[in-house]
Amino acid sequence: MSTPHPIDVPQLRERVQAALDEDLTHQRAVLDELGPQVTRLVDEVAALLTGGKRLRAAFLFWGYRALGGPDSPALIRAASSMEMFQAAALLHDDVMDESDLRRGRPTAHRTFAADHRQQAWSGESHRFGHAAAILAGNLCLTWCDSMFATSGLRPDEIASARSEFDNMRTQLMAGQYLDVLDAAQGWEGLDYAERIRRCRTVIRYKSGKYSVEQPLLIGARAAGAGPDTLAALSAYGLALGEAFQIRDDVLGVYGDPAATGKPAGDDLREGKRTVLVAHALGLGSDEDAAALLDCLGRPDLTDEQVGVCRELLERVGAVRATEEMISQSSGAALRALEETDGLTDEGRAALVELVSISTARST
């Protein structure tokens, strides 16, 4: 008998979407008295929250279920709050990265800027777009907290998980700052090892922890996990979170736009300092490094130039070294899971399967 897919069974995607839709309906009612103008904010959030892999919800769900906690509408609502939190992070991240597309549609700040231009409002369109998207992200932060606190889990379960929930919200914002700071400071004068170290620090606090470890621990803490179990699950989550984000960085250069929802090579155009780039700078010649740096951060980079960069990354061994990091981190996650006591068979099997899902070579 095959193991059920940990996201598709028990209808997790559909139930999470229903919970998010219900909460957005409630929030529309709360905002009704402000007039129809603010409907646009909720519309953009709703569009961003439609679809998606639901990995963060899955990790909270299975963190709770793996410790013997029962499935319930309350658990689904708590898990769905992780997706609301991610929406906040994406809205803010797209502004900071000046991204044009997200999941195959214009990013929120671009959409709001287009509204401004079409209506011929006063002021600068891009500033209006940025402001509106940031405020939409702030709304998601508020709604995330509300969803979790009113999920319907028992008060003692909410209390047990609350510190992890608060740490997640705080550390992600600081992780975003580390990413901005790293880009501003640049890598000049840093050796190969230090560039990799910086990448791994940003990966951990900007993405890895809030994508895997912290949702998992929120669920596990709510279900009453003890210190040893939490430590082992943390090791699993940190290792898998790193592998997950490194895979995302590879997809940012090599992914199929139809699957990623973003133009091919967009990470190169945005100038992201990823482990893929760090490996290329460390493994390639001075000429290779100069050629890559000349392309990095150029918004006008053509598809042909992206192809040249891809060939360079492969030729110098950067892709191979990056794939090895993903494999090593995935292996570390599985070893940590083997050492985790007190998990249900169903929960353990789901967490094993989530390693493969989180690091798949296509989205």
Side-chain angles (χ1 to χ4, degrees), residues 91-92 94-96 98 108-110 112-113 124-136:
L91 285 161
H92 291 165
D94 285 341
V95 170
M96 289 185 285
E98 290 285 4
H109 66 282
R110 298 295 190 212
F112 285 122
E124 299 177 5
S125 296
H126 77 278
R127 288 177 61 85
F128 176 83
H130 285 181
I134 289 169
L135 291 169

Side-chain angles (χ1 to χ4, degrees), residues 2 10 17 32 37 39 52 54 110 123 129 152 169 203 219-220 230 260 275 290 303 329 349:
S2 61
Q17 187 66 59
D32 269 351
Q37 295 94 332
T39 299
R54 305 306 189 201
R110 298 295 190 212
R169 286 156 51 87
I203 283 170
L230 291 170
T260 64
V275 291
D303 289 344
S329 293

Side-chain angles (χ1 to χ4, degrees), residues 51-62:
K53 295 186 284 291
R54 305 306 189 201
L55 281 173
R56 291 155 188 85
F59 281 111
L60 190 151
F61 179 89
W62 286 111

Side-chain angles (χ1 to χ4, degrees), residues 348-362:
R348 186 183 299 278
L351 293 176
V352 168
E353 185 65 20
L354 279 166
V355 174
S356 299
I357 294 170
S358 301
T359 58
R361 290 173 183 257
S362 61

